[in-house]
Amino acid sequence: MQAKEAAERLKITQRMLRHYEKEGLLEVGRTLNGYRSYTEADLRRAGRIRDFIATGFSTREIRAMAACLSDEGSGPCEGGVEKLREKLEHIDRLRAELDEKRGAVIDRLGTLQNGLATISSR
Amino acid sequence: MQAKEAAERLKITQRMLRHYEKEGLLEVGRTLNGYRSYTEADLRRAGRIRDFIATGFSTREIRAMAACLSDEGSGPCEGGVEKLREKLEHIDRLRAELDEKRGAVIDRLGTLQNGLATISSR
DNA sequence: CCAAAGCCTGACCTACATGTTAACGTTAGA
DNA sequence: TCTAACGTTAACATGTAGGTCAGGCTTTGG
């Protein structure tokens, strides 16, 4: 599919799709006329990138992860084991924080809605 | 407590503590000599700010939320509920991906270590 | 009293996500 | 054929996290 549709489906801008590409996070094929042609797999990958960025990862970090996480190519994974270990720590810590956060947000949502309900039912 | 200890306990820099303050996310008392004096409550709050930032919230968003998240003041909470919902979506989506990824990382670690063990035992 | 170590403010610099705009090629419909 | 809508690249602009450094207090231990 073309850029416009891809961006719409991902709810990001075409600008950011190009940005991911320039940062080496995504490779997108071209049609004869030079237009980008996004596959469904591209969309899924881009969606993950979008979420990682929205959750505080830099393109640099994402790039490092991508190299080490690929199923094939045990090739260019320099010092990969340590990096992976570090990353695991980060991920686990983040998971815990996200859980906390999630709970807090949900609680708060409840409180707000109760508050609003209380007010509007006066 | 003083700035140095606060920063050490939070594992961030004094710079960032001051930054939070300047951004209006944190109010810290002063001693007679003008030094900041952090209470335990300040630490907890700063820790939360740190985690929010590390998880992709901007100071602007946190500020908006702070209004929404405070236990009192149901006052200036414009559109807060929707924002909270959006963030929840991101968080949940990412949680799922992190789980996936975590599994992949663990597998990959195993593979690498087996590989190394195989080599070193030759 | 002096030096070391802390604190303060303010300014400057970097990295990076993201928006916007200009200049230009392509495609499809009236 | 003309125009609108789409695509492309490249350049410039902005907002913000975060580092670092300078100049100048205060506190504390020898």
Side-chain angles (χ1 to χ4, degrees), chain B residues 71-98:
Chain B
D71 286 338
E72 306 88 20
S74 61
C77 193
E78 310 276 315
V81 176
E82 300 102 84
K83 277 185 189 168
L84 290 178
R85 280 194 202 287
E86 283 171 32
K87 218 55 185 177
L88 250 192
E89 275 177 43
H90 278 148
I91 291 175
D92 284 345
R93 202 155 46 216
L94 192 64
R95 266 171 46 88
E97 313 250 333
L98 287 175

Side-chain angles (χ1 to χ4, degrees), chain B residues 2-14 17:
Chain B
Q2 293 199 155
K4 182 175 188 165
E5 188 185 346
E8 278 168 0
R9 281 180 51 184
L10 290 170
K11 289 179 185 151
I12 57 179
T13 60
Q14 298 180 32
L17 279 170

